[in-house]
Amino acid sequence: MSATAPPRNNRLADQFEAGLDAPICLTWELTYACNLACSHCLSSSGRRDPRELSTEQCKAIIDEFAAMQVFYVNIGGGEPTVRPDFWELVDHATASGVGVKFSTNGYGITPEVAQRLAGSDYVDVQISLDGATEAVNDAVRGAGSYRLALQAMGHLRAAGFRGFKISVVATRHNIPQLDDFLRIAEDHDAQLRITRLRPSGRGADVWSELHPLASQQRDLYDWLVVNGEHVLTGDSFFHLSAYGESLPGLNLCGAGRVVCLIDPVGDVYACPFAIHDTFLAGNVIADGSFATVWRDSELFTELRSPRSGGACTSCEFYDSCRGGCMAAKFFTGLPLDGPDPECVRGFGEDALAARDADRPVPRPSADHSRPSSARPGLPQLPVLSAGPPRATAPAAGPPVKPCAEDPLAGFA
C-alpha cells in the first residue's frame, strides 16, 4: 500500500484552525506581581495591578471552565504563588475537575508544599530555568534565581514528585547547554520543556541580543529531531519545520483557535505572547463570561476563518512552517502575512532589513515592570525568601496605586 498524505480536512492541525468549543491550552496569569524581574518577561511583570480579579471572581471563572469541560488551565504570572489565595484557587479548580499546571520560579515551593503537590493527581508544576549554570541563568532571571529554582526542584524530587516540568526559554546563551538541561531534568526525575523566545513584553527590549543565531536555530532543530520525543515544545518551534522533518508538537499557530490568555484583570488575548490591544478579544467580566468571549468575539471569529499565507504562500515550505509565529512578527514590526523574523530560509532577515525605519514597532499595551527593571538590559535583583504559602487567603488590602513598587502591595 502506498503512503499518501491524508486529506487536509482530516489532519488534526487543519481541524484546529477552525477553533474548538473550548481551548486546549488556556493560560491564566493570576497576577503581574513578581519577586523577580526577568529581562525577557513576556508580560513585563513586577508590580501588582490594583484591578486584579478577586478570589470570588476567579472562582466563578474556574466554575465556567468546568462547565465548558476545559481539561486543564496553565496558571502563570508574574509569580502566581505570591497571591495569598493561590492555593485556595488551586484547590477549587481541582475539586471542580479542572486540572492545574502552574509555572513558578520556585518561590513558595517548600518541602511541605512539595509533599502536598506530590500527593495530587490534578496539579502539575513547571519550574522556570534559563541557564544550566548559575551565570547564564542569573544574567537573564536575576541574582539568586538559579539557586531558588534548584532548591525547589530538590524539594519536589525529595517529595517523590515525578515528571514535574523544567521550562527553558531558548536563547543564544543557553543553546549550547541543551544536553546539560536534559541531565538536570533526568537528575530530578523531571521532564524538560523548551520554548521559544518571543519579542513580547520586556523580551522586546532584549530579543535582538538574546534570540538564537541562525546557526544555533539549526543546532536546536537537529537536537530536537534526536531528543524531541522526550522533550516538550508545544507550538514553539513549528517555524523550524522548514528545515525538513516536522517536529513533535502542534506545528500550528493556535492563537484564538486552541490557545488564549486571560490576564489578571480578566482581559482575554488571542495568545500569551501577544498582549496588545490588537489581539484583545474581550473581558470575562465586561462581556459576561469567558465562554462568550471565546465563542463569539469578532477577533477569534476572524482568526478561525480561512486565511491566506500572504507573501509566504509561494514558498515550498509554507505547509511545514505556516508562516511562523504571529507574535514574533507583530512585535518586530513585520506584517502578519509575511515571514517569521527567524525564518530558517532567511526571508525574515530580509524583511527585517527592509522595514520602514520611520514606522514604529508595536509595543505591549501595558508595562508592569518596576522602574529598576523597565530599562533594556539584564537585571540583577535580590530574590524574596520563599516562605510557606497560606492554605487560605486573607482579604486583600485596599486598592494600590499602579506605581507601587512592592509586588505584594495590596495583599494583607
Side-chain angles (χ1 to χ4, degrees), residues 350-362:
D350 295 341
L352 289 173
R355 281 182 307 187
D356 183 351
D358 296 327
R359 181 183 175 186
V361 176

Side-chain angles (χ1 to χ4, degrees), residues 117-187:
L117 293 170
S120 173
D121 293 329
Y122 297 98
V123 181
D124 197 7
V125 186
Q126 184 167 281
I127 307 291
S128 297
L129 187 73
D130 291 329
T133 58
E134 186 170 4
V136 172
N137 180 84
D138 288 10
V140 174
R141 302 189 63 81
S145 57
Y146 181 83
R147 295 191 301 274
L148 180 65
L150 267 291
Q151 174 183 275
M153 293 179 206
H155 292 331
L156 291 169
R157 177 184 57 187
F161 193 128
R162 297 179 180 273
F164 69 89
K165 311 301 184 289
I166 298 175
S167 181
V168 176
V169 177
T171 70
R172 68 181 58 173
H173 301 298
N174 66 27
I175 290 290
Q177 299 182 323
L178 292 173
D179 288 334
D180 297 322
F181 282 120
L182 198 54
R183 279 192 289 270
I184 291 174
E186 291 170 350
D187 289 345

